[in-house]
Amino acid sequence: MQGSIAPVTDPTQDDAIHAHGAEAGHYEHPDLRVFGLIVFLISEGMLFFGLFAAYLTFRSVATSWPPEGTPELELLLPGINTIILVSSSFVIHQADHAIKENKVKAAQLWFLATFIMGAIFIAGQIYEYQHLEFGLTTNLFASTFYVLTGFHGLHVIIGLSLIATVLVRSLKAGHYSNTSHFGIEAASVYWHFVDIVWIVLFLLLYIL
């Protein structure tokens, strides 16, 4: 009885077969960037949720909130800042809409406008910090106020960095188009997340 002999294959033939499969799309890996972005934002949302829960817990057990003697927060500047930041979500959405129509220049202008609006928000927040009548260690309300708004401000700065990166990359011809625009979409989604978090913060700290 003769033993079976494994057929000898030509490595170059195998390479050709795999190359043909790749060209046919059979070996393409799924794009997991959107999934990664969603997971990242969920984790960031959980961080903010923990801070919100801590703030509400402090508030519920306190005899008075804010503690007696705490200067009242001004609403005018934070209100203007809120309008600017929320409006910037609609502006950056226009950029996302423009690139899907292959209007790169329009997308650049909308992103630039969003960057300016975000920078104005940060400048307004810094101005508010400089004129507050309480400091980080004045009392529990003051500490939570600075932690919440400061942590959010850090995320706004990160968002501005993403927007600036997209703007720089968009200067390269063909980098973004109606078929390749993940960077624009990612920055837009992140910016919407930052805006939503601020709305919750504004309601908790200034309104309720």
Side-chain angles (χ1 to χ4, degrees), residues 51-184:
L51 292 174
F52 296 156
Y55 174 84
L56 291 173
T57 301
F58 297 152
R59 180 171 180 167
S60 64
V61 300
T63 55
S64 62
W65 194 262
E68 294 182 5
T70 304
E72 292 185 4
L73 293 171
E74 295 290 338
L75 284 178
L76 179 60
L77 179 59
I80 295 173
N81 250 5
T82 300
I83 293 173
I84 292 173
L85 193 63
V86 172
S87 298
S88 69
S89 261
F90 295 96
V91 174
I92 202 170
H93 176 72
Q94 294 301 316
D96 186 53
H97 181 71
I99 196 62
K100 289 177 180 177
E101 294 184 350
N102 214 29
K103 299 177 181 178
V104 179
K105 291 296 183 182
Q108 290 173 332
L109 291 175
W110 288 119
F111 255 64
L112 179 60
T114 305
F115 183 89
I116 294 172
M117 295 172 80
I120 292 173
F121 175 87
I122 289 296
Q125 192 170 43
I126 293 173
Y127 180 87
E128 182 185 19
Y129 281 175
Q130 292 175 337
H131 292 81
L132 286 173
E133 298 180 15
F134 54 81
L136 178 63
T137 59
T138 299
N139 53 41
L140 187 57
F141 171 79
S143 298
T144 53
F145 174 86
Y146 278 105
V147 169
L148 286 169
T149 56
F151 192 53
H152 175 266
L154 174 62
H155 281 73
V156 175
I157 292 173
I158 293 174
L160 290 175
S161 300
L162 292 175
I163 292 172
T165 300
V166 168
L167 281 172
V168 171
R169 289 185 173 183
S170 69
L171 296 177
K172 181 180 178 181
H175 188 82
Y176 293 119
S177 66
N178 59 337
T179 58
S180 177
H181 48 262
F182 172 77
I184 291 177

Side-chain angles (χ1 to χ4, degrees), residues 16-28:
I17 293 173
H18 284 285
H20 176 73
E23 290 176 358
H26 299 301
Y27 296 94
E28 291 182 357

